Amino acid sequence: MKTILTTSPAEAAEFIKRGGIVAFPTETVYGLGANVFDEKAIKKIFQAKQRPNDNPLIAHVGNIEQIKLLVSKINETAQKFTEAFFPAPLTLVLQKAKNVPLIATANLETIGVRMPKNELALEFLKNCETPIVAPSANISGKPSPTTWQAVFEDLNQRIDCILQGEATEVGLESTVLDCTTETPFVLRTGAVTLEQLQKIEPKTRLYKISEMETPKSPGLKHRHYSPQAKVILVSSKFNFQCSKSQAFIGLKKPDSDFEMIKICQSVEEYAHSIFDFFRRCDHENIETIYCEKVAEKGIGLALMDRLKRAAAS
Ligand code: TXA
Ligand code: MG
């Protein structure tokens, strides 16, 4: 299959209307989209990404009205979060509407819904005239793509079209918040922080996998975010043994030399850069990537989550 590259959201949306799959930018990471009501197209997403079919997809809307097409009811809590945040790097899990096909939600009766905060994404969604299910546009298990070039590297000739935008602003995937229970649970941390969510609903808690036997968010159990290189988390005082093929990313410049190094001015910049840095290290055949740990608050919580997963795989 030839993959068409375009900067036109209208041209990209034409592929969706014809049953195709299209990668597009959002403020978090690039997504790989299909019409939520087109089962055949959704199947193509799972094939192209080699995604395990027990991992549900997030549905993206171009306006708040479209949420009604996806969920049976927007409860009061969800209503509050929607009003406070949308459009935002935030996904709300709600009871799904009957006519949403089960392949989209991996047989769950719930669905993740999000309105992205990125002009090109919203323009694309508007042109599609339907909600779009989209996982991150990478091969499953690889770092999520934050540039269209990363999408191209993973999915060229496997998808119909790439809508070319800028590098994504946030660089980490959206916060996933389960709103189906009395207590809203954060299933995946992201740029909308626990602290911000608790301001709207103080009961909001982080969901810990060990609390229950099967994870609520199936994606949490899958291998994730890992470069080829070995990832090691270190503190700024770490005593490095210098050798070749090593890289470092963090906030404070270490004394040792590295083949590749990225010093970030803020935790936000670190989050923005991490997946791209992982990919660049793989291009250079780096063997070990040292990542400086950050405080687990604000977006630092989400960054540490991704770093720990990368280090564990
Ligand atoms: O920022 C993002 O969320 C990006 C952009 C493209 O929007 N998308 C993304 O999708 O990261 P994906 O498929 O890579 O991750 C979706 C996560 C998975 O961990 C999945 O298990 C969880 O959301 N999820 C989706 N629907 C769910 C549901 N109904 N219940 C619980 N978890 C759900
Ligand atoms: Mg993903």
Side-chain angles (χ1 to χ4, degrees):
M1 172 194 307
K2 186 164 164 46
T3 301
I4 303 297
L5 304 181
T6 180
T7 55
S8 156
E11 187 186 357
E14 283 306 311
F15 288 96
I16 295 286
K17 291 180 181 164
R18 283 185 250 130
I21 55 175
V22 174
F24 63 100
T26 79
E27 79 279 35
T28 57
V29 300
Y30 274 70
L32 176 59
N35 179 347
V36 66
F37 300 112
D38 185 341
E39 295 191 42
K40 262 199 192 154
I42 296 174
K43 246 183 224 150
K44 292 186 206 166
I45 289 183
F46 283 90
Q47 279 164 4
K49 271 185 64 89
Q50 298 163 22
R51 182 178 178 96
N53 53 20
D54 63 349
N55 198 358
L57 306 178
I58 293 171
H60 298 69
V61 296
N63 58 61
I64 302 281
E65 277 297 292
Q66 280 184 334
I67 299 176
K68 292 189 190 133
L69 302 170
L70 299 168
V71 308
S72 59
K73 185 171 177 278
I74 306 181
N75 59 39
E76 219 174 285
T77 330
Q79 184 69 34
K80 279 200 281 185
F81 286 121
T82 309
E83 279 170 17
F85 295 105
F86 278 19
L90 173 67
T91 298
L92 303 179
V93 174
L94 294 162
Q95 295 299 330
K96 82 171 190 70
K98 277 211 180 66
N99 52 346
V100 171
L102 281 165
I103 184 175
T105 61
N107 288 318
L108 295 177
E109 287 301 329
T110 58
I111 184 163
V113 178
R114 137 168 153 83
M115 181 173 173
K117 190 179 186 169
N118 171 285
E119 256 173 57
L120 197 52
L122 290 171
E123 201 54 42
F124 168 67
L125 290 167
K126 203 179 346 160
N127 277 280
C128 290
E129 296 172 343
T130 174
I132 295 292
V133 273
S136 50
N138 53 302
I139 296 283
S140 282
K142 291 238 257 162
S144 291
T146 56
T147 61
W148 71 260
Q149 289 90 342
V151 177
F152 185 84
E153 174 179 286
D154 277 14
L155 298 176
N156 184 31
Q157 300 193 341
R158 304 178 71 92
I159 64 178
D160 295 286
C161 175
I162 299 175
L163 176 57
Q164 298 166 294
E166 309 272 309
T168 63
E169 193 187 329
V170 177
L172 302 179
E173 308 84 348
S174 62
T175 305
V176 178
L177 181 66
D178 186 352
C179 293
T180 62
T181 47
E182 183 60 22
T183 305
F185 277 110
V186 175
L187 304 181
R188 180 174 72 184
T189 49
V192 174
T193 63
L194 180 63
E195 296 88 331
Q196 288 173 315
L197 295 168
Q198 284 174 336
K199 274 199 189 130
I200 304 302
E201 177 47 73
K203 281 191 298 204
T204 308
R205 293 285 171 271
L206 280 185
Y207 174 78
K208 296 263 189 294
I209 276 197
S210 53
E211 279 173 17
M212 293 169 217
E213 57 288 7
T214 47
K216 273 200 165 206
S217 191
L220 296 177
K221 72 179 163 37
H222 293 293
R223 190 169 154 268
H224 253 98
Y225 318 115
S226 38
Q228 299 294 315
K230 188 171 171 51
V231 172
I232 299 178
L233 309 192
V234 297
S235 75
S236 59
K237 296 188 197 88
F238 190 75
N239 199 352
F240 294 99
Q241 304 293 321
C242 273
S243 76
K244 277 187 71 185
S245 310
Q246 295 193 334
F248 176 89
I249 182 167
L251 299 169
K252 191 163 173 285
K253 192 176 177 311
D255 289 334
S256 331
D257 285 331
F258 292 90
E259 205 167 311
M260 285 183 69
I261 187 158
K262 172 137 184 93
I263 306 303
C264 307
Q265 301 308 312
S266 63
V267 179
E268 283 74 18
E269 188 192 343
Y270 193 170
H272 165 86
S273 313
I274 188 67
F275 288 145
D276 184 57
F277 189 73
F278 280 170
R279 281 180 182 262
R280 287 196 289 119
C281 285
D282 280 348
H283 292 160
E284 302 299 324
N285 296 315
I286 295 291
E287 283 166 14
T288 310
I289 307 171
Y290 291 99
C291 302
E292 185 184 337
K293 290 187 239 175
V294 299
E296 291 184 79
K297 55 170 202 266
I299 195 167
L301 187 61
L303 175 60
M304 280 300 288
D305 168 68
R306 307 315 192 267
L307 291 178
K308 285 178 190 169
R309 287 167 193 273
S313 45

